[in-house]
């Protein structure tokens, strides 16, 4: 048997973390078994489906590297096939036309509730053979078995049993002929030879209905795996109010796809106490049986920790450099006016958590700062430091051999000359050359920004100290 899984998003918004995790689990299962992964766009809800959503779903899947072997299939392009199967079910007596008006259905519901029963369709037209009422476009309902039980072994939830008497005859085609969700999924899973259905557990109530339709079509059900949902830290279902939930938002915010994938695979699945998984590693170790039964809680700090890990250790410098270059350019920075991006990445990769942060921190090597951070300047640019800073500036100007170590040695020699601890001169120099408090070591910072930019900063700082002294005198 060839393992065939699918991801079947409804394109009514961006790809969110929950969807991406479902896609990942399905993809892993296919890859692990040398099987096939199908992408199917469930776009029958024409009012809510948009081309833009389809595109962002593709974009997110590509960014995450979740490549598909078949598809994308669009349900809206399969209408002919659905009509054919509806016809077949009608012909074989597994489905029937129902002429109930909305009003009638409302009454039915009210009557059931008044009698203390679950509100459901009472099967009025199930065995109908008379003259249909005039002026009503009928829906098509599936003849659900009246007795017996529907059973399946869910890979996460275990043994699931439902009494057929609890399921009513669901509508499979609306009065305008369009098929409904539970029906199209069944036809598609069948036609596409899907062996494993991995999806969110919000669909578990649909499963017995889908199994009954499958059986009416003479087929046996696939293996089901209903994945528990993702919660925010307040215990409620993860949503926008918890922060970013869109996959591409994480891309924009400077997360690496490896980090997000690693985070998602561990969200509700475990392998001993291992936290870091390369793509290959997760393909080898993933198993449906190790998916947690309980819902998982989203933890933004852990994702950040993983991102930092990948930025520091795993991602290639060239790849990071390209991305930082692109981001800087987008921000209007001329990257050819500064150091080699590879050198910048080498210095910053252990010090930053996201590409966005790295870009922000790289800016100082390519462009002069706009203004001093006031607090940093106030604290560090004081009259007592003017003289050592001036000497540092003058000696930097004539420094030969532009190297991190020689710049560092120069700072040390000035500290020694003025009997200062290195930090006492280092931090004012940092504020002078970067405008703020945070940068790599003085040697690395000045080396990367180049002599001219550093000298401009030192001049500005010296002027600042002088002007401030004049004002207060
Ligand atoms: N289209 C459904 C959704 O986005 C998924 C259906 C399924 O996986 O069976 O929730």
């Amino acid at each position: 048997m060839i393992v065939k899984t699918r991801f079947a998003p409804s394109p009514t918004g961006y790809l969110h973390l929950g969807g991406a995790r479902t896609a990942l689990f399905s993809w892993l299962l296919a890859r692990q078994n040398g099987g096939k992964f199908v992408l199917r766009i469930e776009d029958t809800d024409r009012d809510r489906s948009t081309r833009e959503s389809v595109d962002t779903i593709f974009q997110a899947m590509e960014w995450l590297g979740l490549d598909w072997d078949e598809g994308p299939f669009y349900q809206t392009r399969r209408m002919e096939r659905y009509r054919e199967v509806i016809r077949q079910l009608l012909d074989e007596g597994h489905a029937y036309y129902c002429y109930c008006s909305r009003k009638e259905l409302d009454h039915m519901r009210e009557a059931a509730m008044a009698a203390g029963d679950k509100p459901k369709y009472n099967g009025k037209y199930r065995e109908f053979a008379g003259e249909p009422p005039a002026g009503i476009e009928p829906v098509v309902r599936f003849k659900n078995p009246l007795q017996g039980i529907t059973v399946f072994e869910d890979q996460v939830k275990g043994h699931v049993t439902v009494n057929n008497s609890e399921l009513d005859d669901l509508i499979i085609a609306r009065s305008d002929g369009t098929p409904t969700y539970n029906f199209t999924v069944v036809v598609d899973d069948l036609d596409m030879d899907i062996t494993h259905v991995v999806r969110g557990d919000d669909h578990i109530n649909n499963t017995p209905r889908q199994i009954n339709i499958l059986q009416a079509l003479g087929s046996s059900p696939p293996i089901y795996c209903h994945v528990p949902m993702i919660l925010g830290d307040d215990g409620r279902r993860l949503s926008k109010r918890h922060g970013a939930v869109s996959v591409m938002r994480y891309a924009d915010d400077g997360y690496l796809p490896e980090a997000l994938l690693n985070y998602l695979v561990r969200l509700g699945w475990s392998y001993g106490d291992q936290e870091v998984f390369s793509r290959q590693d997760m393909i080898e170790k993933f198993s449906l049986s190790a998916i947690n039964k309980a819902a998982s809680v989203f933890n933004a700090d852990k994702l950040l920790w993983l991102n930092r890990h990948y930025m520091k250790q795993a991602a290639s410098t060239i790849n990071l450099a390209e991305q930082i270059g692109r981001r800087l350019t987008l921000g209007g920075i001329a990257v050819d006016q500064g150091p080699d991006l590879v050198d910048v990445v080498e210095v910053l990769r252990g010090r930053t958590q996201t590409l966005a942060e790295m870009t922000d921190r790289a800016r100082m090597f390519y462009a002069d700062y706009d203004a001093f951070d006031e607090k940093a300047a106030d604290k560090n640019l004081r009259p007592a430091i003017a003289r050592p800073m001036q000497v540092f500036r003058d000696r930097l100007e004539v420094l030969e051999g532009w190297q991190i170590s020689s710049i560092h040695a120069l700072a040390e020699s000035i500290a020694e000359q003025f009997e200062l601890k290195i930090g006492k001169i280092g931090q004012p120099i940092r504020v002078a050359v970067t405008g703020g408090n945070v940068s790599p070591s003085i040697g690395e910072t000045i080396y990367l920004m180049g002599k001219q930019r550093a000298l401009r900063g030192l001049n500005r700082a010296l002027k600042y100290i002088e002007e401030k002294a004049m004002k207060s005198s």
Side-chain angles (χ1 to χ4, degrees):
M1 173 186 80
I2 273 226
V3 168
K4 217 167 164 193
T5 64
R6 66 356 176 237
F7 177 50
S10 306
T12 54
Y14 45 71
L15 182 63
H16 53 80
L17 295 179
R21 187 186 58 163
T22 306
L24 172 62
F25 286 0
S26 299
W27 179 85
L28 285 171
L29 198 59
R31 292 289 167 266
Q32 176 174 71
N33 291 286
K36 295 229 182 299
F37 178 56
V38 175
L39 178 62
R40 181 168 83 218
I41 304 295
E42 303 206 321
D43 55 350
T44 49
D45 182 345
R46 289 183 195 251
D47 292 339
R48 294 175 59 225
S49 302
T50 64
R51 183 68 231 177
E52 200 191 344
S53 298
V54 173
D55 289 341
T56 60
I57 290 168
F58 290 167
Q59 208 187 0
M61 301 272 292
E62 274 161 25
W63 182 70
L64 287 169
L66 300 179
D67 54 334
W68 54 93
D69 308 297
E70 289 179 18
F73 297 110
Y74 293 84
Q75 289 191 322
T76 44
R77 296 184 196 163
R78 288 176 46 77
M79 290 299 170
E80 201 47 54
R81 172 68 182 142
Y82 302 137
R83 265 193 286 280
E84 187 180 287
V85 182
I86 287 169
R87 189 72 261 154
Q88 180 191 337
L89 287 171
L90 282 165
D91 290 347
E92 292 173 356
H94 290 299
Y96 60 93
Y97 289 110
C98 166
Y99 297 89
C100 283
S101 64
R102 171 149 305 281
K103 219 161 139 196
E104 217 174 333
L105 290 171
D106 287 346
H107 282 147
M108 210 179 278
R109 194 172 312 115
E110 281 158 22
M113 278 159 70
D117 292 335
K118 229 162 119 180
K120 61 182 191 126
Y121 176 68
N122 66 7
K124 177 170 178 192
Y125 285 95
R126 194 177 160 108
E127 305 300 339
F128 183 71
E131 189 62 33
I136 295 228
E137 285 297 334
V139 298
V140 178
R141 287 186 185 268
F142 173 68
K143 242 188 212 181
N144 203 71
L146 295 173
Q147 275 120 29
I149 50 171
T150 299
V151 178
F152 62 99
E153 299 299 326
D154 190 272
Q155 298 296 296
V156 177
K157 309 278 175 184
H159 190 71
V160 182
T161 308
V162 177
N163 283 326
N164 286 328
S165 60
E166 286 181 25
L167 309 170
D168 55 4
D169 290 349
L170 79 152
I171 297 175
I172 55 175
R174 302 182 188 89
S175 53
D176 63 1
T178 56
T180 58
Y181 160 72
N182 274 305
F183 174 73
T184 54
V185 166
V186 167
V187 176
D188 289 351
D189 285 343
L190 192 59
D191 286 356
M192 294 167 195
D193 297 318
I194 300 301
T195 58
H196 295 71
V197 169
V198 181
R199 62 183 169 202
D201 66 2
D202 47 335
H203 285 290
I204 200 159
N205 290 337
N206 292 322
T207 305
R209 301 172 189 282
Q210 294 180 7
I211 291 176
N212 285 335
I213 303 177
L214 267 170
Q215 276 165 346
L217 290 170
S219 179
S220 46
I223 293 169
Y224 291 98
C225 174
H226 288 94
V227 183
M229 37 184 187
I230 304 176
L231 308 176
D233 48 14
D234 56 358
R236 294 167 68 188
R237 193 191 173 125
L238 188 69
S239 71
K240 270 191 211 153
R241 82 182 155 224
H242 296 103
V245 284
S246 142
V247 167
M248 288 319 285
R249 182 65 199 280
Y250 284 94
D252 292 346
D253 287 352
Y255 286 78
L256 299 177
E258 300 86 329
L260 190 57
L261 272 190
N262 193 151
Y263 180 73
L264 289 174
V265 82
R266 280 285 295 104
L267 194 56
W269 172 80
S270 55
Y271 187 83
D273 53 10
Q274 187 173 336
E275 287 296 352
V276 176
F277 292 85
S278 69
R279 196 176 284 265
Q280 199 45 44
D281 217 14
M282 50 180 107
I283 291 176
E284 278 161 25
K285 292 176 177 162
F286 180 72
S287 68
L288 292 178
S289 58
I291 294 177
N292 292 346
K293 287 195 186 344
S296 15
V297 177
F298 180 72
N299 179 341
D301 289 340
K302 187 166 164 196
L303 172 55
L304 205 52
W305 176 82
L306 277 168
N307 203 56
R308 188 187 175 103
H309 164 82
Y310 282 94
M311 297 250 307
K312 192 169 167 186
Q313 280 163 28
S316 89
T317 309
I318 302 286
N319 176 284
L320 291 179
E322 277 169 11
Q323 301 203 55
I324 296 301
R326 228 172 294 136
R327 284 171 178 261
L328 284 169
T329 307
L330 272 175
I333 301 276
V335 283
D336 53 354
Q337 304 296 305
D340 191 333
L341 282 160
V342 165
D343 294 339
V344 172
V345 167
E346 283 300 357
V347 166
L348 291 179
R349 63 185 304 170
R351 295 176 154 103
T352 48
Q353 310 202 84
T354 65
L355 291 173
E357 190 191 352
M358 192 185 265
T359 307
D360 230 32
R361 300 270 296 273
R363 206 175 288 269
M364 65 176 68
F365 306 127
Y366 298 90
D368 291 1
Y369 54 88
D370 294 333
F372 287 116
D373 170 316
E374 264 179 49
K375 262 201 191 146
D378 197 44
K379 177 155 183 247
N380 293 287
L381 302 182
R382 297 184 164 245
I385 207 68
R387 183 74 198 131
M389 194 181 276
Q390 182 71 51
V391 177
F392 178 79
R393 185 227 162 273
D394 294 345
R395 292 199 18 214
L396 187 74
E397 191 171 19
V398 296
L399 186 70
E400 276 176 27
W402 196 247
Q403 277 164 0
I404 296 174
S405 57
S406 55
I407 299 165
H408 181 71
L410 174 60
E412 280 200 320
S413 77
I414 305 284
E416 206 171 305
Q417 183 183 335
F418 288 88
E419 294 180 1
L420 293 167
K421 282 206 182 121
I422 183 74
K424 286 272 181 260
I425 171 108
Q427 195 61 5
I429 291 175
R430 175 171 287 113
V431 176
V433 297
T434 70
N437 259 329
V438 187
S439 82
S441 74
I442 289 300
E444 288 167 312
T445 303
I446 293 181
Y447 169 79
L448 286 175
M449 68 174 39
K451 193 182 271 187
Q452 294 316 318
R453 202 179 305 287
L455 289 176
R456 276 200 296 278
L458 288 159
N459 291 343
R460 265 171 97 168
L462 288 163
K463 200 161 154 227
Y464 174 95
I465 298 173
E466 198 184 331
E467 282 173 0
K468 211 166 164 200
M470 266 168 30
K471 261 188 226 155
S472 60
S473 64

